[in-house]
Amino acid sequence: MAMASKGNPILSQVMVLLLATAFLFLGGKCSGENDKSPTSSNALSKLCADVDFAKLCEEMIKGASDAKNATQMAIQALSLRATHAKALALKLGSTASGYLKSSLDTCADVYDDAVDSLQTSLDNIQGGDKGALFSNLSAVVTDIVTCDDAIKGGDEDPQAVLAKSNKVMKKLGSNCLALADEIHF
């Protein structure tokens, strides 16, 4: 929070938005509200055993009934995060100019593409198309990297905030791909 003390009201709003998002994401969806699931924590651990970010995976899929449901839950969590990141990029971009505005506009565009690809991924699961599922999930990770590339080189605070968000989304995307590999159509 030291950055917010610089007197930058936009950054203060960004930090509040990010903290609220984290609270909702970690406090609501992943808090264990669905502990009555038939899936044991051991089964969830097995599903998350081969992912890059196991602890995050276990939190994302708490309450899942099987690999298909777990992948859907992970995709929905990533979609929510990408939707919030897009809103943040648009808000920050509305008062920015020059290189920063261009970077934020790029991020907003690729986050929008990511949300579309995530919705298509859910459709791919319903349709039993594993190849298209992997293609769409890989596109999401590529979109996030595109935003990272757009904001590299800038040292303005909003870029640092989006970079942190992208780091989490890349972890979520990696876990989605690993979970999707566990689905047997």
Side-chain angles (χ1 to χ4, degrees), residues 106-107 122:
T106 296
C107 289
L122 292 171

Side-chain angles (χ1 to χ4, degrees), residues 91-161:
K91 182 175 182 169
L92 294 171
S94 70
T95 59
S97 62
Y99 175 78
L100 179 58
K101 177 154 182 51
S102 175
S103 297
L104 294 169
D105 288 349
T106 296
C107 289
D109 288 344
V110 297
Y111 292 147
D112 193 47
D113 291 344
V115 170
D116 288 344
S117 293
L118 290 164
Q119 181 56 54
T120 303
S121 295
L122 292 171
D123 296 341
N124 297 145
I125 291 172
Q126 292 305 319
D129 191 344
K130 199 168 190 175
L133 173 61
F134 275 98
S135 178
N136 282 297
L137 290 174
S138 295
V140 170
V141 174
T142 299
D143 287 335
I144 296 164
V145 170
T146 299
C147 176
D148 274 343
D149 291 344
I151 61 177
K152 279 184 183 168
D155 58 357
E156 289 106 350
D157 290 334
Q159 290 167 300
V161 171

Side-chain angles (χ1 to χ4, degrees), residues 37-74 130 174-184:
S37 165
T39 304
S40 70
S41 63
N42 189 33
L44 291 177
S45 294
K46 286 181 182 178
L47 277 175
C48 293
D50 294 328
V51 303
D52 292 330
F53 308 97
K55 183 174 171 91
L56 179 62
C57 174
E58 288 176 17
E59 288 297 316
M60 284 187 338
I61 68 169
K62 191 168 279 195
S65 57
D66 56 26
K68 180 179 174 181
N69 182 242
T71 304
Q72 290 168 323
M73 291 173 74
K130 199 168 190 175
S174 173
N175 284 351
C176 286
L177 284 163
L179 288 168
D181 196 40
E182 297 297 321
I183 298 175
H184 301 288

Side-chain angles (χ1 to χ4, degrees), residues 111 144 147-148 151 162-170:
Y111 292 147
I144 296 164
C147 176
D148 274 343
I151 61 177
L162 281 181
K164 288 178 186 176
S165 183
N166 286 346
K167 183 177 180 180
V168 172
M169 287 191 292
K170 284 187 279 190

